[in-house]
Amino acid sequence: MAENTNDGANGSRDQSPPDEAALSARLGSLDHRLSEIRDSRRSKTDQSGNESGDSAARASAMALGFRLSSELIAGVAVGAAIGWGFDRLLSTSPFGFIVLTLLGFVAGVVNVVRSAGVASGKR
C-alpha cells in the first residue's frame, strides 16, 4: 500500500512541470494584459507632472471640504459675535445671541449649498 502511495506521488510529480508551465504562461499573459490596462489608464488620467491622479483628486476634495467647513463655521461665528454685541449694547441678555447665532447657522448652510453647486445663486 505504501508503494502505491509513493508511485502516485511520483506520478503527480511527473504532471507538475506541465501544469506549472501552463500556470506560468497564464500568469505571464495576465501580467502583460494588466500592464497594458495600467498604461492606457495612466495616459487617460495623466494630470500634472509629478503627482498621480489619485493624490491630485484627494487634494482637490480636501480643499473643497476645508472651504465648505470654513464657510459654515464663519457664518455661525459672525452671527454669534453680532448677537453678543447686540446683547451687550441693548441689554437683551441671551435673546440676540441665540437668534443671530441661528441666523448665522442658516446663512452658513446657504453659503455651503451655493458653494457646493447644489443650488444656484440666481433667483
Side-chain angles (χ1 to χ4, degrees):
M1 228 175 169
E3 292 178 18
N4 290 339
T5 307
N6 287 340
D7 289 338
N10 289 338
S12 65
R13 284 188 199 148
D14 292 339
Q15 292 176 354
S16 291
D19 289 342
E20 287 180 20
L23 287 175
S24 179
R26 286 178 57 197
L27 182 63
S29 172
L30 179 64
D31 186 41
H32 180 67
R33 287 187 292 172
L34 285 175
S35 65
E36 287 177 355
I37 291 171
R38 283 186 194 129
D39 290 341
S40 67
R41 283 187 182 176
R42 193 173 294 143
S43 65
K44 288 179 186 176
T45 61
D46 193 20
Q47 291 181 354
S48 60
N50 293 338
E51 286 189 12
S52 67
D54 289 340
S55 63
R58 284 186 195 141
S60 176
M62 203 168 176
L64 179 63
F66 279 131
R67 190 176 97 206
L68 295 178
S69 63
S70 66
E71 286 184 8
L72 180 65
I73 291 169
V76 174
V78 168
I82 293 172
W84 180 79
F86 278 151
D87 282 342
R88 295 284 288 179
L89 289 175
L90 303 175
S91 298
T92 55
S93 193
F95 299 113
F97 178 75
I98 292 171
V99 169
L100 288 175
T101 300
L102 291 175
L103 286 175
F105 176 75
V106 170
V109 169
V110 169
N111 283 336
V112 166
V113 169
R114 282 186 188 162
S115 294
V118 176
S120 64
K122 299 177 185 176
R123 287 196 174 207

